[in-house]
Amino acid sequence: MGQGMNATAHPLDPLSFEETGLAAQAVRAHVGEGGRWRFASIELREPAKDVVTGFRPGDSIDRVAHVICWNCVDGKAYRAHVALADAGVTWEELPEGTQPNMTVDEFHDCDRALRNDPRLVEALHARGITDMDLVIVDVWNYGHHLIPEAYRGRRLGWVDLWHRGSPEANPYANPVNGLHGIVDLNAMELLELEDTFVVDAPETMGEYVPKLVPGQELRDDLRALEIVQPEGVSFTLEGNLLRWQNWSLRVGFNYREGLVLHTVGYEDDGRVRAVAHRLSLAEMVVPYRDPSTDHYRRTAFDVGEWGLGFMTVPLELGCDCLGEITYLDAVTHDSQGVARTIKNAICIHEEDNAVLWKHVDPVAGSEVRRMRRFVVSFHAVVANYDYIVYWRFYQDGNIECEVRATGIMVTAKFPVGEPPPYGTQVAEQTYAPTHQHFIVARLDLDVDGEQNTVVATQSEVPPIGPDNPHGLAIVQRATPLRTEEEGKQDYDWNTQRAWKVVNEDVTNGFGMPVGYKLVPSGAFPPMFDPSSPVLERAQVIGHTLWVTPFAQDERWPCGEFPVQAAEDTGLPAWTAANRSIENTDVVLWYVFGLHHVTRPEEWPVMPADVVSFWLKPFGFFDCNPSLDVPPNQPKHGAACH
Ligand SMILES: [Cu+2]
């Protein structure tokens, strides 16, 4: 593969449809006949940084697929590296008890297996539910600490049941409370049915599709809003290489992080200056903060268990995306290793975003520039929730990562009277539990090169004294973070703490090290008892920021295999060595998201909740880098200035 295969081929291009199939075939050939195999993941084994930086177009590329698979017969899991040029397989058995990520096929197979199980059918009959076609079987993973002794070592699912009001109705409108199954996902067998209680509550109006909402009439006062670019777009896409307004970056994609951005650089004075080697969302931890029977096992790892790439959905022009859109397809696969293409998985476009800069001077008049931003985005649907991820690049050197959460909240019914204290009532005798979405961004910044240091910056108020007689002064304190222990940082509202990634070997025009600042927002504390086993499994959420020295295989902050993991083998394990993070290739792990105290207005479908954080140049340039943005032509008159 790769030998001049394609003029735009690059070592960081995601595995193609053909390569994905080849990798699966090679593994099948290696394991031979027998066994019942599932492929958990097939992705590009990303090349080392020096391979990427040393690559020149036309160079031959050694493409390697990284494959995780397991045999459902004995539960043993394996890692394979497949050299795509000759289908050579390097094979490694993973430690006893390793449970690879969940697959969509297991979700569907579990649904099929359970809806015919007589125990389940009988329990539903007892609740007055007789039409099994209206029942939805949802499967979740659950934490090692909750797994009954008798089932240790098995691959387990915890099953939730939902009931549609009609064949087209919202499956998540009506939970079947007090009824859950424990399933062996390798045998696809119901081990236990936990039939604990019945709530006598009316059906909930949980419909949002207009024809299903009783008496729904749509507003008729919205006029068309078109976004047109009569001269075409201002960006170029060459293979997976994007260029726009001095920015350049490569689009990557895998089963787990979904969209990945590689080699983000900014052209300054004819030279591309590195900003980031790789940007992605590496984990999302979603604990439901309701200890009741129906919810206490809900501690999802949406990235590590299900994969944002596997959950990525195709996008529709004019609906999901508006304007002059360029789409990229993505490739994933099913649990049999059969490649599949997600059409229009990644949306690329530019947007007007009001004013970039402006001043009105009494003599010179008004000088104003429109802000244009460049957006690369994708949508992932994890069962009831929909996540939309936007990476935005701005003309002034800013980068913004925005995540929107929408979709259907998990609910439960309660008996007549007060709702339980762990959520908010959203419909008659129905509440939505409080929960949190902790998103972990993995930010491998390379600011003007790999050797960087992270500096905590905060504003401090000196006491009143001879130098500060009015008590007015604020000074900035910068503290370099030298070890991984020092790199564990928490958001501090009182000092407006932020983190600058600086390159001490490269100075700006004022002799200061060039830097990019991580401006925190959307951060919140974990709010867990320190001894909580839920926190134990996802220690990353205990801090707003972690900093580690780059290591090729340190990718997953809660461990590579969080499914049923007995311990967190990610950040807490890596940082236990307390390595140096000074003047080296650093990786930042930024934790942000939604502390979701549910609202009635978020039912039956949730208007998008929006969180974001920024990376902003701080002394990376010597002045406003967007001075050269040209003015628009006014609709009436001569020019916008
Ligand atoms: Cu939520």
Side-chain angles (χ1 to χ4, degrees), residues 375-409:
V375 191
V376 188
S377 64
F378 74 112
H379 297 201
V381 180
V382 188
N384 53 310
Y385 253 94
D386 301 51
Y387 298 105
I388 306 174
V389 181
Y390 302 95
W391 287 94
R392 301 196 181 113
F393 296 83
Y394 291 83
Q395 292 156 308
D396 58 1
N398 286 350
I399 302 174
E400 180 191 20
C401 172
E402 180 183 292
V403 178
R404 297 185 177 204
T406 176
I408 320 288
M409 296 186 296

Side-chain angles (χ1 to χ4, degrees), residues 74 77 81 96 127 147 185 195 199 212 216 241 278 286 406 456 471 479 485 498 513 515 536 542 551 571 579 622:
D74 59 14
H81 286 132
E96 183 81 34
R127 286 168 168 79
I147 293 175
L185 292 169
D195 190 349
V199 184
L212 299 175
Q216 179 76 77
L241 174 64
R278 195 179 187 282
V286 189
T406 176
T479 311
E485 206 48 51
E536 185 70 21
L571 280 165
R579 295 167 294 188
D622 289 346

Side-chain angles (χ1 to χ4, degrees), residues 286 288 385 387 405 409 435-437 594 596 598 606:
V286 189
Y288 280 73
Y385 253 94
Y387 298 105
M409 296 186 296
H435 59 278
Q436 298 160 305
H437 308 249
L594 293 117
H596 194 171
T598 57
M606 182 184 156

